[in-house]
Amino acid sequence: MSMYLTSCSGLLETNSVLNIASWNIRYAPELVAKDKLVESFPWDSRVVGMGQMVAELDLTILATQEGNKQQLSSLGETLSNLELVDTHRVWSHTFFPSFFVNTELVSVLFSGDLWLSDQPEVVDSKLPSSAWPRMLTWLIVEIDGHDGQWLLVNVHLDGTDIGQVKILHQLVFNLVEKYTPTYTILCGDFNASLASQTSNPIYQSLFDYFQ
């Protein structure tokens, strides 16, 4: 899991602490499998521990990956000061990268989901080369104590499909062009280190942008 920050129009100016975390919460096999499975780390136990850990971090924004609607709903019930942003969402049976925000500090102006495919607006669409439907979720927000507007992007990649990275690259650029945010944060589970040296120019250009 990684997080990268870029300033689109100036240096970061802040009057307060901004705590952001990115967490792959891992899917719950016992909730999605047709056959009843005995799970070593059942979701009912994990979600309680996660709620306790998040409370200790005093987060402004939490980005999660690999949770379905049921998991995200139950996680939200354990987070006393964070709310799931899903008013834009068309739910399906897949796993959704998501944002939970402290609504006392974060004002959500716009939000959406886009799929890493040739038809980003089509729910559950995917590239032929992708193992699973993959998507990004995004927000345009204003944050109390911090100047400007922020574009937040949360994504979960296969890590082996460079086509997903290329589409991610273009979708982020399209959002930046449309909303001209002051700052942009990309977070998620990349299943690869964007900080590592790579010979593929698509990965490298994406990493370079978020320096």
Side-chain angles (χ1 to χ4, degrees):
M1 286 168 281
S2 305
M3 183 179 299
Y4 297 92
L5 173 66
T6 183
S7 171
C8 298
S9 61
L11 296 176
L12 175 63
E13 297 181 5
T14 177
N15 298 317
S16 61
V17 175
L18 176 59
N19 292 329
I20 302 176
S22 179
W23 195 346
N24 184 321
I25 63 176
R26 186 177 175 270
Y27 83 107
E30 69 273 24
L31 299 181
V32 299
K34 294 181 180 180
D35 299 324
K36 189 67 175 179
L37 299 176
V38 177
E39 174 63 14
S40 300
F41 302 97
W43 174 250
D44 288 347
S45 298
R46 283 193 283 138
V47 71
V48 173
M50 292 176 63
Q52 295 171 346
M53 293 180 66
V54 170
E56 293 174 0
L57 294 173
D58 190 25
L59 296 178
T60 307
I61 298 166
L62 171 65
T64 66
Q65 304 87 39
E66 206 169 296
N68 64 11
K69 183 178 181 180
Q70 185 175 348
Q71 285 179 275
L72 294 167
S73 177
S74 61
L75 176 59
E77 293 174 359
T78 72
L79 305 178
S80 58
N81 66 333
L82 298 177
E83 293 185 13
L84 175 65
V85 181
D86 67 344
T87 54
H88 63 272
R89 177 157 291 167
V90 177
W91 290 99
S92 69
H93 295 296
T94 193
F95 305 116
F96 285 83
S98 297
F99 282 110
F100 293 81
V101 302
N102 184 331
T103 55
E104 293 184 358
L105 301 175
V106 179
S107 299
V108 179
L109 306 179
F110 304 99
S111 63
D113 293 331
L114 293 168
W115 299 84
L116 303 183
S117 75
D118 295 329
Q119 298 176 297
E121 305 286 347
V122 177
V123 175
D124 283 348
S125 59
K126 73 181 190 72
L127 294 174
S129 55
S130 298
W132 306 96
R134 296 294 193 186
M135 58 166 287
L136 64 83
T137 191
W138 61 271
L139 310 177
I140 297 290
V141 303
E142 293 178 344
I143 304 174
D144 188 47
H146 301 266
D147 67 306
Q149 294 185 355
W150 298 66
L151 168 61
L152 310 177
V153 179
N154 182 17
V155 68
H156 190 182
L157 300 176
D158 283 347
T160 57
D161 191 341
I162 204 65
Q164 292 178 358
V165 181
K166 185 175 182 179
I167 292 173
L168 169 64
H169 202 167
Q170 187 59 57
L171 292 176
V172 171
F173 283 0
N174 290 348
L175 290 168
V176 169
E177 183 177 19
K178 180 176 181 179
Y179 293 101
T180 61
T182 314
Y183 308 104
T184 300
I185 292 178
L186 171 65
C187 49
D189 184 348
F190 301 102
N191 276 308
S193 172
L194 294 184
S196 64
Q197 292 295 322
T198 174
S199 59
N200 193 299
I202 297 174
Y203 264 105
Q204 192 60 54
S205 61
L206 184 64
F207 174 65
D208 289 345
Y209 180 74
F210 285 93
Q211 289 296 296

